[in-house]
Amino acid sequence: MGFLSVLSFAHKQIEGRLQPGDTAIDATVGTGADTVFLAKLAGSKGRIYGFDIQEQALELAKERISREPADSLASVSLFLASHARMKESLPPESQGSIGAIMFNLGYLPSQEADKKIITETESTLHALDAALLLLRPKGIITAVLYPGHAGGETEADAVTAWASRLPQDHYQSVMYRQLQRSDSPYVIAIEKKR
């Protein structure tokens, strides 16, 4: 048995924390894989909010969601908006109540997608700050980072520095990374202590 992929590691961290009936956010919907993963964990009484700046991503996600049994999934609301707008897009009662927030940064992994459209450092950092406010105690944020593409290294370095500066009395941050390749994808997971 080998090591988990970065996506599997991110999923594993969330599996033990997100419960049926919980609310979660997919901050970067992409093809909808994480959206469906969260919707299955939260179950039919849960709620999932997803954000992406590309209509194509939301269409891919809707298609993926439609292939699942509807009665086993949480209610899913998708927003054609930057992840930086998540706080103002959610109902006020969401603040401090979200169980998990997933970021899968970089570009849309679709053959037809424009790979020049990538997540941007400034909006990602703004979204991460908002995620901390939305997260409940014992909730988790996962961020999959891709330093191997143009613009990805700058964003990955900034997110790593941001997570490293979080106060230890409120948050615990961990990293999962292959050490022999500086451009390999990696995961940062952040748990809110209180």
Side-chain angles (χ1 to χ4, degrees), residues 5-63:
S5 71
V6 291
L7 296 174
S8 295
F9 180 83
H11 286 187
K12 207 64 154 157
Q13 299 313 300
I14 290 171
E15 280 175 354
R17 292 173 175 86
L18 195 66
Q19 302 297 315
D22 281 350
T23 301
I25 297 171
D26 184 352
T28 51
V29 168
T31 63
D34 291 337
T35 311
V36 168
F37 167 76
L38 292 169
K40 285 180 177 179
L41 284 180
S44 60
K45 293 188 182 341
R47 181 124 192 107
I48 308 302
Y49 298 100
F51 295 85
D52 208 291
I53 61 168
Q54 295 182 74
E55 184 68 47
Q56 181 187 9
L58 299 185
E59 292 305 318
L60 289 168
K62 287 175 189 172
E63 182 182 319

Side-chain angles (χ1 to χ4, degrees), residues 146-165:
Y146 297 90
H149 69 84
E153 184 176 10
T154 300
E155 183 177 49
D157 288 347
V159 171
T160 302
W162 173 88
S164 299
R165 289 190 302 270

Side-chain angles (χ1 to χ4, degrees), residues 13-192:
Q13 299 313 300
I14 290 171
E15 280 175 354
R17 292 173 175 86
L18 195 66
Q19 302 297 315
D22 281 350
T23 301
I25 297 171
D26 184 352
T28 51
V29 168
T31 63
D34 291 337
T35 311
V36 168
F37 167 76
L38 292 169
K40 285 180 177 179
L41 284 180
S44 60
K45 293 188 182 341
R47 181 124 192 107
I48 308 302
Y49 298 100
F51 295 85
D52 208 291
I53 61 168
Q54 295 182 74
E55 184 68 47
Q56 181 187 9
L58 299 185
E59 292 305 318
L60 289 168
K62 287 175 189 172
E63 182 182 319
R64 188 181 291 256
I65 291 165
S66 73
R67 295 194 301 260
E68 299 292 332
D71 61 348
S72 68
L73 297 180
S75 171
V76 177
S77 298
L78 299 175
F79 296 89
L80 182 61
S82 168
H83 50 356
R85 299 188 41 86
M86 73 171 81
K87 186 172 178 281
E88 58 262 29
S89 300
L90 271 54
E93 63 271 14
S94 298
Q95 187 162 318
S97 70
I98 305 298
I101 304 172
M102 297 189 78
F103 291 79
N104 194 347
L105 302 170
Y107 52 80
L108 180 61
S110 168
Q111 290 182 352
E112 303 83 34
D114 182 352
K115 304 289 192 281
K116 291 180 185 138
I117 300 173
I118 61 172
T119 52
E120 301 287 341
T121 303
E122 186 178 335
S123 63
T124 295
L125 293 175
H126 183 76
L128 286 164
D129 284 337
L132 293 178
L133 297 173
L134 291 166
L135 207 61
R136 71 166 184 235
K138 300 297 182 191
I140 187 168
I141 298 168
T142 60
V144 180
L145 303 155
Y146 297 90
H149 69 84
E153 184 176 10
T154 300
E155 183 177 49
D157 288 347
V159 171
T160 302
W162 173 88
S164 299
R165 289 190 302 270
L166 292 173
Q168 289 182 34
D169 55 334
H170 288 66
Y171 304 98
Q172 180 177 347
S173 303
V174 298
M175 182 187 297
Y176 180 74
R177 183 175 198 172
Q178 181 183 346
L179 297 175
Q180 295 95 332
R181 283 185 40 224
S182 63
D183 66 344
S184 66
Y186 63 98
V187 180
I188 290 177
I190 300 147
E191 181 184 53
K192 188 174 191 174

